[in-house]
Amino acid sequence: MPKRQIIITSNDYEYLKELLSSKFTQAISPSDYLESLEAEIVDPARVPKNVVTMNSTVKLRDLDTNEIETYTLVFPEDADIANYKLSVLAPVGTAILGQRVGDILRWRVPDGGRRPKVVRVLYQPERAGVYHA
C-alpha cells in the first residue's frame, strides 16, 4: 500500500521552513527535511479536523505495549517533555506531524522499534479557530 501524504498547514510550513534554515537547526538536522516530506500544504482554515498540526494535542497508543500517551506537538523553544510538550524536531514529533487519526507510525529506537497509532486529536488550534503565523 502506498504511503499517504501528510498534511501541513501553510502557516506551519512557513514557520518550519524558517526554523530549519537556522544555523542551529542545520547543525543538528538535515537541511532538506521539508523538501523530502511528501506533504500536502493546505490553508489553515481548510485542514481536516483529524490531522495533527503544530500545537495540537494528540493521544497515541503504542500497539506493542497498549500504553497510551498524550502529547502536545510544539516548536523547539516550547518543548517541555516533563509537561508532555514534544518538539517537532524530536523523532516522535517529526513522525506525528501531519498524520491523521488512525494512522500507524513506525520508527527505530535503541531497543528496537515503536509502533504508535494516532488514536485521537484532542485539540487542534485550527479547529478551535486559532491560527498562528
Side-chain angles (χ1 to χ4, degrees), residues 3 22 25 29 32 43 61-62 78 87 90-91 93 100 103 111-112:
K3 186 175 179 181
S22 75
T25 306
S29 63
D32 62 347
D43 183 271
R61 177 185 307 275
D62 186 305
D78 297 320
S87 171
R100 298 166 182 84
D103 286 349
D111 62 348

Side-chain angles (χ1 to χ4, degrees), residues 15-49:
Y15 192 95
L16 285 168
K17 189 164 71 171
E18 184 178 314
L19 172 68
L20 292 171
S21 68
S22 75
K23 290 182 183 188
F24 171 75
T25 306
Q26 286 185 2
I28 63 168
S29 63
S31 60
D32 62 347
Y33 172 78
L34 283 179
E35 289 77 20
S36 69
L37 285 177
E38 293 184 24
E40 177 183 354
I41 312 302
V42 300
D43 183 271
R46 300 184 55 86
V47 67
K49 295 176 181 181

Side-chain angles (χ1 to χ4, degrees), residues 67-123:
E67 180 181 344
I68 294 179
E69 299 172 322
T70 302
Y71 295 106
T72 299
L73 183 63
V74 298
F75 292 106
E77 62 271 17
D78 297 320
D80 180 359
I81 199 63
N83 288 304
Y84 306 99
K85 292 182 178 183
L86 185 67
S87 171
V88 68
L89 296 183
V92 67
T94 300
I96 65 175
L97 177 64
Q99 300 295 332
R100 298 166 182 84
V101 171
D103 286 349
I104 298 171
L105 316 168
R106 289 180 173 81
W107 74 88
R108 292 246 173 254
V109 292
D111 62 348
R114 295 208 45 205
R115 294 182 318 126
K117 179 178 182 177
V118 179
V119 176
R120 186 169 176 203
V121 176
L122 300 169
Y123 171 77

Side-chain angles (χ1 to χ4, degrees), residues 38-58:
E38 293 184 24
E40 177 183 354
I41 312 302
V42 300
D43 183 271
R46 300 184 55 86
V47 67
K49 295 176 181 181
N50 67 340
V51 171
V52 180
T53 62
M54 292 305 304
N55 297 304
S56 289
T57 302
V58 61

